[in-house]
Amino acid sequence: MDSGGFFDTSEFLDIDSFALLCALKSMDLLADSAAWWWPSARSFEVVIGAILTQNTKWEGVQKSLENLKNAGILSDDSDKSLESIARATTLETLIAPSGLYRQKSARIIALARAILDEFGSFDEFALSVSREWLLRQKGVGFESADAILNYACGREIMVIDAYTARLIASLGCEMSEYDAIQAWCMDMPRKSLEALYPGMPLAQIYARYHGKIVEFSKKKGRAKEIIKAIKAQQENASLGRA
């Protein structure tokens, strides 16, 4: 995997996922974000957004979601939204800003109908759905499934996207498999996480960790900034032990 020429590899440190999380946390990247970073987390809206965001920019997704709300199809009531989507024959015009609107319309409607048939309600879906079930649905890959599990269902799993893969590679941790990158990111001491985020559920920590990576990458952050932050933390820790 290409690291994108972020910096001279001679600067590599022995970086683990917790060190990366601490470095990102020190940059205050989510100051103006929602508690779970993803807007309307823990609702059916995330399920729709996870499909809409495939191969497009978030701005187009926001416009599509706004169109669905203005049309009375999407609301704050997850069960009503689920039923409205399942009854729809097409969403193409409303979700056109997200691109691939014919394909996405068919897949969103089919997924809503499958959720109703299998689980009966959004709450039961959030409680009972498995990753394997999601991956069997047309148009749902690893990233979309994990986004739904984490941001919609509140499960303890971290989303891995292109931003994450590129950042990890730029730090010298080159892995090509989705599951390997995910395992690396989630491999953090529980007690250290509890100290860093007192009282915060692990699922929300993973959500915010992913959000920090996205926001860091969107602002064109460079790996050398991460290295600098980690070095500063290591120096502060050494002084604290002195």
Side-chain angles (χ1 to χ4, degrees):
M1 188 179 295
D2 181 10
S3 65
F6 278 78
F7 70 118
D8 182 348
T9 55
S10 65
E11 295 185 39
F12 284 154
L13 296 174
D14 184 14
I15 296 172
D16 59 23
S17 184
F18 185 71
L20 173 58
L21 173 60
C22 290
L24 292 167
K25 188 176 188 298
S26 71
M27 298 177 188
D28 201 24
L29 295 160
L30 303 187
D32 300 319
S33 298
W36 285 67
W37 178 67
W38 192 302
S40 301
R42 310 302 304 278
S43 75
F44 180 66
E45 182 177 319
V46 174
V47 179
I48 301 172
I51 305 300
L52 291 177
T53 197
Q54 295 171 358
N55 302 305
T56 195
K57 294 182 178 180
W58 183 251
E59 290 75 16
V61 176
Q62 289 179 308
K63 180 59 178 174
S64 294
L65 293 172
E66 182 181 333
N67 289 345
L68 291 169
K69 290 174 182 177
N70 291 338
I73 296 174
L74 184 61
S75 70
D76 293 335
D77 187 318
S78 288
D79 282 330
K80 286 183 178 179
S81 298
L82 174 58
E83 291 168 4
S84 294
I85 295 289
R87 287 196 304 266
T89 56
T90 182
L91 305 170
E92 292 179 9
T93 302
L94 298 172
I95 67 170
S98 297
L100 300 174
Y101 53 88
R102 291 188 180 89
Q103 180 186 85
K104 291 179 180 180
S105 172
R107 290 178 175 178
I108 289 170
I109 292 170
L111 180 56
R113 291 173 179 173
I115 290 171
L116 273 182
D117 289 344
E118 183 76 19
F119 304 99
S121 69
F122 173 75
D123 285 346
E124 184 60 32
F125 165 78
L127 180 66
S128 304
V129 71
S130 67
R131 192 175 193 243
E132 292 72 25
W133 186 91
L134 285 168
L135 291 173
R136 288 198 298 270
Q137 310 311 304
K138 193 166 186 179
V140 179
F142 293 138
E143 183 181 336
S144 298
D146 291 342
I148 291 169
L149 287 170
N150 182 249
Y151 290 108
C153 305
R155 303 289 184 84
E156 295 177 355
I157 194 164
M158 184 166 164
V159 180
I160 303 301
D161 56 15
Y163 288 127
T164 308
R166 284 196 295 267
L167 179 58
I168 299 302
S170 77
L171 295 169
C173 306
E174 297 199 26
M175 294 168 277
S176 60
E177 297 297 324
Y178 183 99
D179 288 346
I181 300 171
Q182 186 177 66
W184 185 90
C185 287
M186 293 172 61
D187 183 17
M188 295 181 285
R190 190 65 175 261
K191 288 185 178 180
S192 298
L193 288 174
E194 291 171 353
L196 189 65
Y197 290 101
M200 183 177 290
L202 181 59
Q204 188 176 0
I205 294 174
Y206 287 147
R208 292 181 66 82
Y209 188 4
H210 172 240
K212 293 176 198 296
I213 291 173
V214 174
E215 297 300 337
F216 178 78
S217 301
K218 285 169 66 175
K219 76 179 189 68
K220 308 298 183 184
R222 297 295 181 182
K224 62 184 178 182
E225 298 174 57
I226 301 289
I227 299 297
K228 182 178 179 181
I230 291 175
K231 285 182 176 179
Q233 290 169 1
Q234 291 176 341
E235 290 171 0
N236 289 336
S238 296
L239 288 174
R241 291 192 297 268

